[in-house]
Amino acid sequence: MTKAKGKLFIKTFGCQMNVYDSERMGEALAEAGYVTTDTPENADLVILNTCHIREKAAEKVYSELGRLKQIKTARERQGHGTTIAVAGCVAQAEGREILSRAPVVDLVVGPQSYHRLGDLISRAGQKRGGIIDIDFPEDDKFKHLPARPKVARSPSAFLTVQEGCDKFCTFCVVPYTRGVEYSRPVREIVEEAGRLAQAGVREITLLGQNVNAYHGNSGRSEPASLAQLLRALAEIPELERLRYTTSHPRDMSDDLVALHGNLEKLMPYLHLPFQAGSDRILAAMNRKHTRDDYLELVRRIRAARADIALSTDIIVGFPGETDEEFIRTLEVVKSVQFSQAYSFKFSPRPGTPAAAMDDQVLEEVKSSRLQELQAVLNEQQAAFNASCVGWNLDDVSYKAFRAICVHCLKVR
Ligand code: 5AD
Ligand code: SF4
């Protein structure tokens, strides 16, 4: 049996891919002898798994480190050491800067190095001044992480199938923090999904920054598409529900759209960011689609699956966005009718082209646009929720999930 190493506390910021990564880190460290705890005050090892997508998200990490500094000092007085690690996208993007800004940090580890975590933590414990590993190794980190546990923590699980992005939207840090697109091989994913199913999982959400660009090794000459991967996973008898997120409109291939109409296990829910409604802004964002492309795609998806619930991401106040251009965004929202949406004020991220563009929009203009947009989105969400009232959940064939909505992951 592995000797107990101490207590571990992981705090996760940001997207579902970070939630998945935190789970895998937790599992790897459990194998190395760590036991999880719910509070940093009890922890010998604290990991912050961070997000760099908007300035607010990154700043949260530094305020959390301020709190951890006090905890570390208090624990020292009681004779306990604490190792503090910063993982995730802030680690990747800011590297050494974290150690100078927050000397309380012992280890900075990028998302591609989690399989080396055990070794890095012991080295960090021996070296003063902190250590950094933010390489993009050639190696597939997933191959080196331990297999998923034998008993699932929940009937619903995430499974990362694709990482990184080659789209280079001009506002986005992902291509820099997560690197170029990489798809895991089909066999590896099917094995992991099979193990999750054996452990009691009944619903899997496939994750990727650009998940529908998936093109993993199929063992044949042609790589597998996301639609082919979904079909392969649907063959696992214990799995009752499949979802995937996040998708780019450009990569919604015909076979994937059609699958929404003919793969029963694929849930009637799709997250499809459109970001902005003006073609000029979409071009400046390098989105590679127009407003009409998006609306036509929504029409085709609804033709395949009429009751699909659509959610989206929207940015207001991209550099140069005029009032008229913002109205184009409202028009798209009104025309599509989303069940849910995430909307953000444009946040200039260091190193991205949009951060250096002229005509940055005033903060108060961004705020009032966001407010106006969110009022419409809230109405749409309320209308969608109201449409679900009165469902007889016993009629839903997926008995194991009676309490979980088929459209989203929320417990109803
Ligand atoms: N400013 C505001 N929102 C952003 N997003 C990504 N980068 C930025 C940024 N610089 C939003 C996009 C994306 C979601 C994950 O976060 O809408 O789809
Ligand atoms: Fe970022 Fe998504 Fe654009 Fe990729 S497609 S650059 S992850 S917003």
Side-chain angles (χ1 to χ4, degrees):
M1 230 177 90
T2 322
K3 198 166 139 272
K5 286 251 177 60
K7 292 195 176 142
L8 163 71
F9 175 77
I10 305 184
K11 180 157 180 163
T12 309
F13 300 81
C15 66
Q16 292 143 330
M17 298 193 62
N18 270 7
V19 174
Y20 175 82
D21 281 352
S22 290
E23 255 174 49
R24 302 291 309 254
M25 282 191 266
E27 288 164 15
L29 291 169
E31 244 185 38
Y34 283 91
V35 179
T36 41
T37 171
D38 296 340
T39 56
E41 284 82 359
N42 293 331
D44 305 288
L45 170 62
V46 177
I47 301 177
L48 300 184
N49 192 6
T50 62
C51 171
H52 201 245
I53 198 104
R54 284 169 294 277
E55 194 179 350
K56 244 194 200 156
E59 279 310 311
K60 271 191 209 158
V61 175
Y62 287 101
S63 54
E64 192 65 30
L65 286 170
R67 262 198 298 280
L68 287 176
K69 188 175 168 202
Q70 291 174 351
I71 294 173
K72 186 168 180 164
T73 312
R75 279 174 53 87
E76 250 160 35
R77 274 194 227 108
Q78 294 159 0
H80 303 300
T82 316
T83 302
I84 296 181
V86 175
C89 295
V90 176
Q92 189 68 47
E94 297 189 6
R96 191 160 295 281
E97 209 182 311
I98 299 176
L99 295 180
S100 21
R101 211 174 140 184
V104 68
V105 174
D106 302 289
L107 168 65
V108 175
V109 54
Q112 302 310 321
S113 305
Y114 295 157
H115 54 300
R116 297 202 281 253
L117 208 50
D119 175 46
L120 289 167
I121 288 161
S122 25
R123 277 172 43 211
Q126 288 151 19
K127 188 172 176 296
R128 286 194 146 264
I131 62 168
I132 303 188
D133 185 341
I134 50 172
D135 288 349
F136 278 109
E138 290 285 292
D139 238 7
D140 170 3
K141 72 170 174 199
F142 296 105
K143 262 201 313 225
H144 301 283
L145 284 165
R148 308 307 304 268
K150 292 211 168 69
V151 181
R153 287 191 308 173
S154 152
S156 188
F158 292 134
L159 201 175
T160 293
V161 300
Q162 178 275 330
E163 284 197 303
C165 182
D166 293 342
K167 293 281 187 297
F168 289 93
C169 298
T170 54
F171 52 80
C172 186
V173 287
V174 167
Y176 312 97
T177 52
R178 291 280 179 157
V180 292
E181 223 173 281
Y182 165 76
S183 295
R184 296 175 68 188
V186 173
R187 197 163 57 91
E188 200 180 292
I189 297 166
V190 171
E191 263 169 31
E192 186 172 334
R195 203 174 157 98
L196 288 169
Q198 290 304 315
V201 166
R202 296 293 171 265
E203 170 173 85
I204 291 185
T205 302
L206 305 183
L207 301 178
Q209 266 98 16
N210 212 179
V211 73
N212 59 343
Y214 175 84
H215 57 283
N217 187 337
S218 62
R220 294 189 293 273
S221 55
E222 290 290 304
S225 67
L226 184 65
Q228 287 165 333
L229 176 67
L230 283 161
R231 266 191 234 108
L233 293 172
E235 301 285 317
I236 300 175
E238 294 88 349
L239 289 182
E240 295 179 30
R241 295 175 165 204
L242 295 167
R243 304 171 191 270
Y244 59 94
T245 196
T246 284
S247 296
H248 192 288
R250 272 280 293 244
D251 294 317
M252 274 320 284
S253 59
D254 290 345
D255 59 345
L256 189 55
V257 171
L259 209 64
H260 278 278
N262 58 38
L263 188 67
E264 206 201 336
K265 291 185 178 182
L266 189 55
M267 289 297 98
Y269 168 72
L270 178 64
H271 184 67
L272 195 61
F274 81 90
Q275 313 294 3
S278 139
D279 285 347
R280 193 190 72 86
I281 295 292
L282 285 169
M285 286 177 162
N286 190 31
R287 285 291 292 175
K288 303 180 175 83
H289 62 82
T290 63
R291 154 207 170 100
D292 285 349
D293 293 338
Y294 187 86
L295 293 175
E296 171 58 16
L297 178 58
V298 167
R299 196 198 55 71
R300 283 173 41 229
I301 293 165
R302 285 198 166 132
R305 179 81 203 222
D307 67 344
I308 199 159
L310 294 175
S311 67
T312 197
D313 292 342
I314 304 166
I315 296 176
V316 300
F318 185 83
E321 186 188 64
T322 63
D323 286 343
E324 287 70 34
E325 285 166 337
F326 168 63
I327 289 169
R328 301 282 96 81
T329 296
L330 288 176
E331 284 168 1
V332 171
V333 169
K334 286 175 187 160
S335 142
V336 175
Q337 296 283 324
F338 292 100
S339 64
Q340 200 204 342
Y342 300 91
S343 48
F344 314 99
K345 291 192 261 188
F346 169 72
S347 165
R349 306 307 291 128
T352 60
M357 286 178 186
D358 294 335
D359 300 336
Q360 296 288 327
V361 174
L362 290 175
E363 198 54 31
E364 55 263 36
V365 175
K366 287 188 206 170
S367 299
S368 83
R369 285 182 192 164
L370 189 65
Q371 221 180 357
E372 194 177 342
L373 172 65
Q374 288 184 341
V376 180
L377 291 169
N378 289 343
E379 265 176 37
Q380 296 192 351
Q381 182 166 0
F384 171 77
N385 290 351
S387 76
C388 300
V389 172
W391 276 13
N392 181 357
L393 290 173
D394 288 329
D395 289 345
V396 177
S397 55
Y398 311 98
K399 293 279 189 248
F401 290 98
R402 282 216 308 263
I404 305 177
C405 176
V406 288
H407 290 298
C408 63
L409 285 173
K410 293 198 187 102
V411 175
R412 298 274 165 187

